[in-house]
Amino acid sequence: MPTANGPKVPLDSLQQQLELLLVCSKCSVKENEITYHPQEVEHKCMYEILLARCRSRKNRGTAWRKVSRRPGFPNPARYAVCRYYVMGMGCNRHKNQCTFAWSVEEAMVWNFEREHQLERRWLKAAVLQAQLGAHSAATPHLTASAAGEITSEFGGHFQEICKRCFFGCPQRITVGGCGWPCETHHSWDPLLVHVVLDSQKKQQYTAIRPCPEFIDTLNYCRFVSRGQPCRHGPQRCQFAHSDVEMAVWEAEREQGLLRSDLLPSVGTGRANGKPAAPAPVQFYCNICLVTCSSQESFENHCSSIEHVQMLSADSSMQWVHRAPPLGLTRFSLCSR
Ligand SMILES: [Zn+2]
Ligand SMILES: [Zn+2]
Ligand SMILES: [Zn+2]
Ligand SMILES: [Zn+2]
Ligand SMILES: [Zn+2]
């Protein structure tokens, strides 16, 4: 959470163009992925979500827009709004991998952060100070949990799946734990994943690998940043492959985040005190973000027009894993 004694933030210059406000899920109503309506409620605010609104009438910008975390990569000279973004539908080209801003307001804040080399937490601290100064009666209780901050910032949810199944080929999503081992691997070695379901029922699974222990400064993987597959190997690479992975790593290091706080509390999904049987194994296409319940339907998917079109659609997408080979009827591990 924001603290004092950070760098000086020249907030005035930004505030000439934008109004800024920190809210939480209790004191704002979400209309779509970028539009929020702040509301007055009696509550202990978590101040997790940064909103911005244009001051100029020209932009007809009377709505508050959510300002997400600035993407760790790429690092363009100026941030711009994605041409393929449709309000309420998301980006129809880069999907969940879109690294462009989704509103003028967001682009302005990102350009400001970049110009002044500001970390988001320093900007939030300055905004909060300005915001509470205006209603000085309220003394803040900065009790926002690190887990709550990440969940409200990235949406979706976290869960544990079989690590070997997820990093295997083809990729599989195997849920287990609580006494249920992976049926393929006869053991339970979990991997934390961040799961986002979008409005078109696509599911994106992002691995949150263990935070690297012996590296002083956390960084993004240079291969993945360039949109290439990681050549360190995803399980050995010590660099972040996504913003959500970086956010979890930072929170673990700086705020003592426990991974268990990100997971749904134990006891959900249980019947009569006994853990319920986990959902069946799913095959996962990380290009189309769809899951299939059998190897056969997965192979059918891989030869479908939809999949082939996605493969050739946009080479600028950032792939973390290789695409499953086309036209094969059985998959096996490379002997090398
Ligand atoms: Zn609030
Ligand atoms: Zn986009
Ligand atoms: Zn497994
Ligand atoms: Zn890497
Ligand atoms: Zn596919």
Side-chain angles (χ1 to χ4, degrees), residues 162-166 172 174 182-188:
C162 175
K163 187 196 282 175
R164 286 168 70 193
C165 284
F166 188 74
R172 278 169 307 190
T174 308
C182 166
E183 283 182 5
T184 311
H185 297 110
H186 306 291
S187 62
W188 186 241

Side-chain angles (χ1 to χ4, degrees), residues 23-24 26-27 43 45-47:
V23 295
C24 69
K26 290 195 186 113
C27 57
H43 75 305
C45 194
M46 312 283 262
Y47 304 111

